[in-house]
Amino acid sequence: MCRNIHTLHNFEPAATNDEVHAAALQYVRKIAGTTKPSLANQAAFDRAVEEIAHATRHLLEDLVAVRPPKNREEEAAKARARAEASGRYTERARAGGSVHA
């Protein structure tokens, strides 16, 4: 579940609001133990996602980088190479599907 949370700090271009929201959503899903909350828990779930996304945006704005920003495309290529070397990168993943069938 949390494999989808990626480092967001010190990239060029900077993390988007969608990336921050996706990371917050994955975090809340992991903590709550569910990908889809019940109707009784939906408001609390949504509120937690928004609060964590808000805190994450502030954190990213306040962090000081000591190294030059990483290039997103280069880092993605490195991750793909690692996945291919480990056998996790399948034909389905290349076609845009899930790596984990």
Side-chain angles (χ1 to χ4, degrees):
M1 197 180 293
C2 278
R3 284 184 215 121
N4 294 334
I5 298 177
H6 302 285
T7 301
L8 299 177
H9 172 62
N10 201 28
F11 276 96
E12 189 58 45
T16 66
N17 284 337
D18 287 343
E19 290 171 311
V20 170
H21 185 271
L25 177 61
Q26 287 300 317
Y27 176 79
V28 172
R29 285 176 172 171
K30 183 66 170 189
I31 297 303
T34 182
T35 57
K36 178 102 173 94
S38 67
L39 289 177
N41 292 323
Q42 187 69 54
F45 189 92
D46 292 343
R47 185 174 53 253
V49 170
E50 290 309 313
E51 289 174 359
I52 291 167
H54 181 79
T56 300
R57 285 185 205 97
H58 284 290
L59 173 64
L60 292 172
E61 290 168 1
D62 292 346
L63 289 174
V64 176
V66 294
R67 296 184 180 172
K70 294 176 261 184
N71 179 284
R72 284 185 182 278
E73 289 78 27
E74 290 174 8
E75 294 301 315
K78 289 178 193 176
R80 277 191 300 277
R82 285 190 302 272
E84 285 175 352
S86 71
R88 292 186 323 240
Y89 197 67
T90 64
E91 287 300 320
R92 183 175 172 173
R94 286 184 192 102
S98 174
V99 174
H100 307 285

